Structure formats: structure tokens, C-alpha cells
Amino acid sequence: MNQPILIDRDGHRTWLKWHRARHRAADPVFTGERIIEAMRLGASIEVDLVIHADHGCAVLHDLTLERETTGTGRVRDTSATTLRQLHLRDNDGQPIASKVMLLEDLCALLTRETVHPDALLQLDFKEDRQALGPEIVTGFGVSVSPIAGSVILSSGDFDAIATLAGSAPGLRTGYDPCHRGTLAALQASGNYLGFIEDALATAPDADIIYLAYEIVLAAEDAGVDIIAPIHAAGRRVDAWTINSVTPQSIEQVTRLLRLRVDQITTDDPEGLAEVFSK
């Protein structure tokens, strides 16, 4: 079986991004073990960041603690000390040995590791520019700068990304223009190319444009290739998120590979690599 990091098809390489630091569908999210594995292997891997009470970032997706951790309440109201004492939960909601990491914990962990030159850690900031204060921005820069060459910072708010990236020289950035209701609006208007033009203009420095895979495929159904103009602008495309390996998702991934997306976000990189190595 191929390593669960990429698929080569018809002369084009598509990376398999480990969504929420999952190697396989059964993995819990955001464990240091899986992040280290990915970075040693040369994989693309994604974790999320939310702001905590001490003006820093926790490696979590939700703004509340109950689903992902043994804590309760808002992350924003929880101290760094308390967060570090919380355990993560597995996919069945049961506590596991791994504890919640803060951004500085994650970065310190990776500075002690031998990181593969192809490895790319995506930090997906789940809040907006208004949530950022000077302490958060400064702390972000201090934490991320030592590993900036192996990191890309993304968000749906490019103003937030530009602000944070300014504190860590050499950090790459990405932009996700897809929000709730975007697909329905595009299907109604048919203005797929205008949508892409706006995304490229909004984020002129973004290396990667992150697109919901449903939008990519809906555009193709409408006779529009929205990957080509992104490539023409010298950017790459990530299609998110393939949650599991099913006959339907295999057909969807086959189409995405044909459209030459550069990266596919998935909760089951191992499963997709197995299917597409045959």
C-alpha cells in the first residue's frame, strides 16, 4: 500500500491532508503522536486553533469544550493551565490519555523532532480578526517562528491571517472563501468564476485556496472548471473534506483527481491511499 500522504495520477500529484491530525478514521483528533508521525513522514496535516482566556491559542476545533475534551464551558473562558489538564476524547466520546495542547506546546514539540522537508502543518484559525489582541499576535509569532518553514496558516478571515502571519516571517498563508450557504448561492447564481476571482483578490498572498469539495464538483456539473484559474494564478487548491471511504466518496475523489486538485482533506488518509494504490 502507498504511504497515506499522496496520490500520483496522470502526471499530477495530489496530497492527502490529515484532517484534525487523523491518520485513519478511527483516530482521535489532535494527538501529539499523530502530528509527530505526519511531520516525520512528510505528510500534510491540519489542526485547528481557538483562543483561550490567557490570550493564546488552544489546539481545538470547537469554541466550547464538551465535545472534544473532558472540560466544560467556552474555550475563551478557560485558562491555559486548566486546558493543559484536560484530556481529549475519542470518536465515541470517551476520554483518552492524550491531553489538550496549546499552540506553544505543539510548536515546542515539533522543534524537538526531525521534520521531513515535505511536511506541512496547517494551522486553521477558527475565529476572526476582531478576536485578535496584541498579546495573541505576539505569542503566535514567538511560538510559530521557529517552525514557520513547515507551517501554513489558514482561515476564512484573511484579515486575521494577515495579522497573525505578520508576526512570523516566512509563514505561508491560505484562504477558505467557503461558508454556510455558499454552495446554494453559487448553484442559484452560476457565478463560479466570479467566486474564484473574488477569493484570489481577497487573499493575494495565499498559497492555497481551500474549497469545499461539493463546490468544486457542482461547478464541474455546471460546466465550469474552477481549478484552472487558481492554477493560472500560481496558487494551489485544497478540496475539503472527505470524511470516510465509501463508494460515493471514492467516485467523488476520482473526479477531484481528474480535475487536478493539489490536496484533498480527509479523515481517512490511510483508507483513501489503500483504495487509490490499486
Side-chain angles (χ1 to χ4, degrees):
M1 187 187 78
N2 290 344
Q3 292 281 17
I5 61 175
L6 57 85
I7 299 169
D8 284 320
R9 179 65 57 94
D10 297 329
H12 184 76
R13 174 162 291 181
T14 299
W15 293 87
L16 297 175
K17 188 180 74 190
W18 298 18
H19 184 228
R20 301 189 193 179
R22 282 185 169 126
H23 176 148
R24 56 182 66 89
D27 284 339
V29 297
F30 305 138
T31 63
E33 174 188 3
R34 283 292 180 248
I35 295 169
I36 290 171
E37 178 188 7
M39 298 303 281
R40 287 176 175 171
L41 192 60
S44 177
I45 183 168
E46 179 257 6
V47 301
D48 299 305
L49 298 179
V50 295
I51 295 171
H52 60 67
D54 291 326
H55 309 289
C57 292
V59 181
L60 293 170
H61 174 274
D62 295 352
L63 300 182
T64 55
L65 292 164
E66 286 80 0
R67 184 171 69 98
E68 295 173 314
T69 83
T70 53
T72 59
R74 298 197 312 166
V75 180
R76 176 62 68 91
D77 298 331
T78 308
S79 70
T81 299
T82 299
L83 285 167
R84 286 187 171 117
Q85 295 171 348
L86 301 178
H87 289 262
L88 295 169
R89 295 185 183 275
D90 65 17
N91 296 334
D92 295 322
Q94 297 304 307
I96 62 173
S98 297
K99 292 185 176 180
V100 173
M101 286 188 290
L102 306 187
L103 175 61
E104 56 266 36
D105 303 330
L106 172 59
C107 294
L109 180 67
L110 293 179
T111 59
R112 299 191 295 268
E113 295 295 326
T114 300
V115 173
H116 192 287
D118 292 335
L120 184 62
L121 173 66
Q122 179 189 348
L123 301 175
D124 194 30
F125 184 62
K126 306 310 289 187
E127 304 200 41
D128 59 23
R129 174 65 183 85
Q130 292 183 337
L132 293 175
E135 289 181 72
I136 298 169
V137 175
T138 299
F140 179 91
V142 170
S143 297
V144 173
S145 290
I147 62 168
S150 299
V151 176
I152 185 166
L153 175 65
S154 65
S155 176
D157 184 338
F158 199 74
D159 288 339
I161 292 310
T163 299
L164 287 170
S167 69
L171 181 66
R172 285 168 279 185
T173 59
Y175 176 54
D176 182 352
C178 306
H179 304 286
R180 189 185 303 275
T182 300
L183 174 60
L186 288 171
Q187 289 174 321
S189 70
N191 191 21
Y192 293 97
L193 291 180
F195 169 67
I196 296 302
E197 290 170 1
D198 288 344
L200 294 172
T202 297
D205 299 322
D207 286 359
I208 299 179
I209 303 298
Y210 298 90
L211 299 176
Y213 79 85
E214 297 95 337
I215 290 175
V216 176
L217 298 183
E220 185 190 34
D221 290 339
V224 181
D225 180 356
I226 60 174
I227 307 302
I230 299 174
H231 284 167
R235 324 285 188 89
R236 297 193 297 148
V237 180
D238 176 300
W240 57 266
T241 299
I242 301 297
N243 298 115
S244 60
V245 178
T246 66
Q248 181 182 24
S249 68
I250 290 170
E251 189 272 335
Q252 291 163 340
V253 169
T254 300
R255 292 177 65 187
L256 293 171
L257 294 173
R258 187 177 67 247
L259 289 167
R260 304 173 76 84
V261 301
D262 302 289
Q263 188 163 266
I264 295 173
T265 297
T266 177
D267 288 304
D268 194 0
E270 183 177 81
L272 282 183
E274 182 176 4
V275 168
F276 286 94
S277 66
K278 296 174 183 178

